[in-house]
Amino acid sequence: MLFSARVTLMSAALLGMTAVMLGAFGAHALRDLLEPRLLAVWQTAVQYQFWHVAALLAVGCFQQRTECRWLGLASLGFILGIVIFSGSLYLMALTGFRPLGMVTPVGGVLFILAWLSLFISFITGRTG
């Protein structure tokens, strides 16, 4: 198995905590420093991180009930998707370096593959 339920849930907790911190940082510290377009990029990163942390929590709960390779792949996809998708947007907002936007779709594809893996775990009946 790629990730145990424990690792998935610990990752979700850590990524959820950082989403709160990064959201607050954007709302308070960056509000007057970034132009509105870059602040919107920051907020998009925070939103996607939060939504996928929720998905990661669900995957971890499913993993507690059953071992399934597809759930491990979903966990990996959500974690890497958050790091690459949201991470590239955070960096782009802070630096203004627009070519970082070319990395963001890789994280988006990882999100899609994670959702597909979760779907496959449901249709194969491997979620409990």
Side-chain angles (χ1 to χ4, degrees), residues 54-76:
L56 198 54
L57 282 170
V59 169
C61 290
F62 291 133
Q63 286 179 303
Q64 288 181 319
R65 297 172 51 190
T66 187
E67 284 191 27
C68 174
R69 181 178 95 110
W70 292 109
L71 291 174
L73 287 171
S75 177
L76 178 63

Side-chain angles (χ1 to χ4, degrees), residues 40 42-52 86 90:
W42 185 274
Q43 291 306 322
T44 297
V46 171
Q47 286 179 325
Y48 271 77
Q49 183 169 343
F50 267 125
W51 283 112
H52 290 91
S86 293
Y90 292 132

Side-chain angles (χ1 to χ4, degrees), residues 4-113:
S4 66
R6 184 170 188 254
V7 170
T8 298
L9 292 169
M10 288 185 340
S11 298
L14 184 62
L15 290 166
M17 177 190 71
T18 60
V20 172
M21 293 166 58
L22 291 166
F25 182 69
H28 300 289
L30 297 179
R31 180 181 45 205
D32 296 328
L33 297 175
L34 295 182
E35 61 184 75
R37 180 185 62 80
L38 292 176
L39 196 55
V41 168
W42 185 274
Q43 291 306 322
T44 297
V46 171
Q47 286 179 325
Y48 271 77
Q49 183 169 343
F50 267 125
W51 283 112
H52 290 91
V53 162
L56 198 54
L57 282 170
V59 169
C61 290
F62 291 133
Q63 286 179 303
Q64 288 181 319
R65 297 172 51 190
T66 187
E67 284 191 27
C68 174
R69 181 178 95 110
W70 292 109
L71 291 174
L73 287 171
S75 177
L76 178 63
F78 286 132
I79 292 168
L80 291 177
I82 289 169
V83 170
I84 295 171
F85 184 92
S86 293
S88 65
L89 291 179
Y90 292 132
L91 287 172
M92 187 169 64
L94 290 175
T95 66
F97 188 62
R98 295 187 98 167
L100 282 168
M102 294 186 296
V103 175
T104 308
V106 174
V109 169
L110 288 166
F111 284 149
I112 292 166
L113 292 173

